[in-house]
Amino acid sequence: NEDSFLLRPGLYAVCDGMGGARAGEVASQMACLGLLSVDPASADAEALREAIIKANTAIIQRSTSESELLGMGTTLTAALLTDDTLLIAHVGDSRAYLMREGELAQVTDDHSWVGEMMRRGELTHEQAARHPHRSVITKALGTDMVLDPDMLELTVAPGDRVLICSDGLTGMVSDEIIAQVLGK
Protein backbone atom coordinates (compact mmCIF):
# COMPACT_ATOMS: atom_id res chain seq x y z
CA ASN A 1 0.00 0.00 0.00
CA GLU A 2 1.51 3.29 -1.11
CA ASP A 3 -1.34 5.55 0.05
CA SER A 4 -0.91 8.27 2.68
CA PHE A 5 -3.43 10.64 4.17
CA LEU A 6 -3.62 13.79 6.23
CA LEU A 7 -6.42 14.51 8.69
CA ARG A 8 -6.18 17.91 10.31
CA PRO A 9 -9.23 19.93 11.32
CA GLY A 10 -10.02 21.93 8.20
CA LEU A 11 -7.40 20.25 5.98
CA TYR A 12 -7.63 16.76 4.56
CA ALA A 13 -5.60 14.97 1.89
CA VAL A 14 -5.16 11.63 0.17
CA CYS A 15 -2.00 10.76 -1.75
CA ASP A 16 -1.43 7.58 -3.76
CA GLY A 17 2.23 6.83 -4.40
CA MET A 18 3.73 5.34 -7.52
CA GLY A 19 7.16 4.18 -8.46
CA GLY A 20 7.52 0.68 -7.09
CA ALA A 21 9.35 -0.71 -4.06
CA ARG A 22 9.21 1.84 -1.26
CA ALA A 23 9.47 4.84 -3.56
CA GLY A 24 5.72 5.41 -3.95
CA GLU A 25 5.19 5.22 -0.22
CA VAL A 26 7.95 7.79 0.35
CA ALA A 27 6.50 10.17 -2.26
CA SER A 28 2.97 9.98 -0.85
CA GLN A 29 4.24 10.58 2.70
CA MET A 30 6.34 13.54 1.55
CA ALA A 31 3.34 15.08 -0.21
CA CYS A 32 1.13 14.80 2.89
CA LEU A 33 3.88 16.10 5.16
CA GLY A 34 4.39 19.01 2.77
CA LEU A 35 0.86 20.15 3.55
CA LEU A 36 1.65 20.57 7.24
CA SER A 37 2.86 24.09 6.47
CA VAL A 38 -0.72 25.03 5.55
CA ASP A 39 -2.62 26.56 8.47
CA PRO A 40 -6.30 25.74 7.89
CA ALA A 41 -7.37 28.73 10.01
CA SER A 42 -5.72 31.29 7.73
CA ALA A 43 -4.79 29.56 4.47
CA ASP A 44 -6.18 30.39 1.06
CA ALA A 45 -5.95 28.72 -2.34
CA GLU A 46 -2.53 30.25 -3.04
CA ALA A 47 -1.07 28.92 0.23
CA LEU A 48 -2.37 25.44 -0.60
CA ARG A 49 -1.02 25.65 -4.15
CA GLU A 50 2.41 26.80 -2.94
CA ALA A 51 2.64 23.96 -0.40
CA ILE A 52 1.92 21.44 -3.17
CA ILE A 53 4.49 22.99 -5.50
CA LYS A 54 7.12 22.89 -2.72
CA ALA A 55 6.26 19.25 -1.99
CA ASN A 56 6.65 18.46 -5.69
CA THR A 57 10.09 20.07 -5.73
CA ALA A 58 11.15 18.18 -2.60
CA ILE A 59 9.99 14.86 -4.07
CA ILE A 60 11.93 15.46 -7.30
CA GLN A 61 15.07 16.51 -5.42
CA ARG A 62 14.97 13.44 -3.20
CA SER A 63 14.19 11.15 -6.14
CA THR A 64 17.19 12.39 -8.10
CA SER A 65 19.54 12.24 -5.11
CA GLU A 66 18.66 8.70 -3.92
CA SER A 67 18.91 6.09 -6.67
CA GLU A 68 16.47 3.68 -5.00
CA LEU A 69 13.81 6.41 -5.11
CA LEU A 70 14.39 7.44 -8.73
CA GLY A 71 11.09 7.87 -10.56
CA MET A 72 8.90 8.11 -7.48
CA GLY A 73 5.75 10.17 -7.62
CA THR A 74 2.32 10.51 -6.11
CA THR A 75 -1.18 11.72 -6.73
CA LEU A 76 -2.66 14.27 -4.34
CA THR A 77 -6.19 15.39 -3.62
CA ALA A 78 -6.58 17.86 -0.77
CA ALA A 79 -9.57 19.64 0.72
CA LEU A 80 -9.29 22.87 2.70
CA LEU A 81 -12.48 23.94 4.46
CA THR A 82 -12.89 27.62 5.31
CA ASP A 83 -16.32 28.75 6.55
CA ASP A 84 -18.73 27.76 3.76
CA THR A 85 -16.03 27.32 1.10
CA LEU A 86 -14.25 24.12 0.20
CA LEU A 87 -10.99 24.48 -1.72
CA ILE A 88 -9.94 21.35 -3.59
CA ALA A 89 -6.39 20.93 -4.88
CA HIS A 90 -5.88 18.02 -7.22
CA VAL A 91 -3.10 16.24 -9.13
CA GLY A 92 -3.44 12.73 -10.57
CA ASP A 93 -6.27 10.21 -10.44
CA SER A 94 -7.22 10.34 -6.78
CA ARG A 95 -10.62 11.99 -6.59
CA ALA A 96 -12.91 14.34 -4.72
CA TYR A 97 -16.68 13.85 -4.66
CA LEU A 98 -19.44 16.06 -3.33
CA MET A 99 -22.76 14.62 -2.24
CA ARG A 100 -25.53 17.18 -1.99
CA GLU A 101 -29.19 16.36 -1.42
CA GLY A 102 -28.59 12.70 -2.28
CA GLU A 103 -26.79 13.41 -5.56
CA LEU A 104 -23.14 12.35 -5.90
CA ALA A 105 -20.88 14.35 -8.21
CA GLN A 106 -17.21 13.78 -8.96
CA VAL A 107 -15.69 17.26 -8.74
CA THR A 108 -12.16 16.47 -9.91
CA ASP A 109 -11.02 15.32 -13.34
CA ASP A 110 -8.70 12.32 -13.45
CA HIS A 111 -5.27 13.24 -14.79
CA SER A 112 -4.94 9.95 -16.61
CA TRP A 113 -4.79 8.72 -20.15
CA VAL A 114 -8.24 7.14 -19.84
CA GLY A 115 -9.64 10.24 -18.13
CA GLU A 116 -8.49 12.37 -21.05
CA MET A 117 -10.03 9.90 -23.52
CA MET A 118 -13.34 10.11 -21.66
CA ARG A 119 -13.30 13.93 -21.72
CA ARG A 120 -12.76 13.82 -25.50
CA GLY A 121 -15.72 11.43 -25.84
CA GLU A 122 -13.58 8.51 -27.03
CA LEU A 123 -14.54 6.18 -24.15
CA THR A 124 -17.66 5.61 -22.10
CA HIS A 125 -17.50 5.28 -18.33
CA GLU A 126 -18.00 1.51 -18.70
CA GLN A 127 -15.19 1.20 -21.25
CA ALA A 128 -12.88 3.28 -19.09
CA ALA A 129 -13.45 0.99 -16.09
CA ARG A 130 -12.10 -1.97 -18.08
CA HIS A 131 -9.46 -0.20 -20.18
CA PRO A 132 -6.01 -1.84 -19.88
CA HIS A 133 -4.33 1.58 -19.45
CA ARG A 134 -6.74 3.01 -16.86
CA SER A 135 -3.90 3.45 -14.36
CA VAL A 136 -1.61 5.46 -16.66
CA ILE A 137 -1.35 8.86 -14.96
CA THR A 138 -0.59 11.98 -17.00
CA LYS A 139 0.11 14.33 -14.07
CA ALA A 140 1.60 13.63 -10.64
CA LEU A 141 3.86 15.15 -8.00
CA GLY A 142 7.45 14.10 -8.60
CA THR A 143 7.30 13.80 -12.38
CA ASP A 144 7.79 17.36 -13.62
CA MET A 145 9.42 20.44 -12.04
CA VAL A 146 6.62 22.61 -13.44
CA LEU A 147 3.45 21.57 -11.64
CA ASP A 148 0.12 23.35 -11.77
CA PRO A 149 -2.42 21.59 -9.56
CA ASP A 150 -6.09 21.90 -10.41
CA MET A 151 -7.71 24.26 -7.91
CA LEU A 152 -11.47 24.25 -7.37
CA GLU A 153 -13.56 26.38 -5.08
CA LEU A 154 -16.95 25.03 -4.02
CA THR A 155 -19.58 26.55 -1.79
CA VAL A 156 -20.70 23.98 0.75
CA ALA A 157 -23.97 23.83 2.62
CA PRO A 158 -25.19 22.03 5.75
CA GLY A 159 -25.73 18.36 4.96
CA ASP A 160 -23.14 18.20 2.17
CA ARG A 161 -20.72 15.30 2.30
CA VAL A 162 -17.26 15.32 0.75
CA LEU A 163 -15.19 12.27 -0.07
CA ILE A 164 -11.55 12.31 -1.12
CA CYS A 165 -10.10 8.95 -2.08
CA SER A 166 -7.49 7.17 -4.15
CA ASP A 167 -8.21 4.95 -7.13
CA GLY A 168 -7.93 2.05 -4.70
CA LEU A 169 -11.54 2.82 -3.81
CA THR A 170 -12.89 3.99 -7.15
CA GLY A 171 -11.25 1.12 -9.01
CA MET A 172 -13.13 -1.38 -6.84
CA VAL A 173 -16.39 0.36 -5.88
CA SER A 174 -18.88 1.94 -8.28
CA ASP A 175 -20.12 5.50 -7.91
CA GLU A 176 -23.58 4.05 -7.18
CA ILE A 177 -22.31 2.14 -4.13
CA ILE A 178 -20.25 5.13 -3.00
CA ALA A 179 -23.43 7.23 -3.16
CA GLN A 180 -25.36 4.63 -1.16
CA VAL A 181 -22.73 4.56 1.58
CA LEU A 182 -22.39 8.35 1.74
CA GLY A 183 -26.17 8.70 1.82
CA LYS A 184 -26.56 6.68 5.00
Side-chain angles (χ1 to χ4, degrees), residues 69-131:
L69 301 179
L70 189 61
M72 73 176 176
T74 186
T75 69
L76 178 142
T77 300
L80 176 65
L81 183 61
T82 59
D83 299 320
D84 64 348
T85 301
L86 183 69
L87 297 171
I88 302 286
H90 170 69
V91 179
D93 66 351
S94 293
R95 294 180 177 173
Y97 290 88
L98 174 67
M99 177 171 251
R100 176 173 288 156
E101 298 177 1
E103 295 294 319
L104 182 70
Q106 180 180 335
V107 297
T108 54
D109 290 325
D110 292 351
H111 298 138
S112 67
W113 188 20
V114 167
E116 290 176 15
M117 292 172 73
M118 286 179 58
R119 284 188 290 284
R120 290 191 305 260
E122 297 170 8
L123 288 178
T124 66
H125 187 67
E126 293 75 25
Q127 292 169 321
R130 297 184 314 274
H131 197 281

Side-chain angles (χ1 to χ4, degrees), residues 58-73:
I59 290 167
I60 290 171
Q61 288 173 343
R62 186 154 178 207
S63 172
T64 56
S65 68
E66 297 178 39
S67 61
E68 69 275 8
L69 301 179
L70 189 61
M72 73 176 176

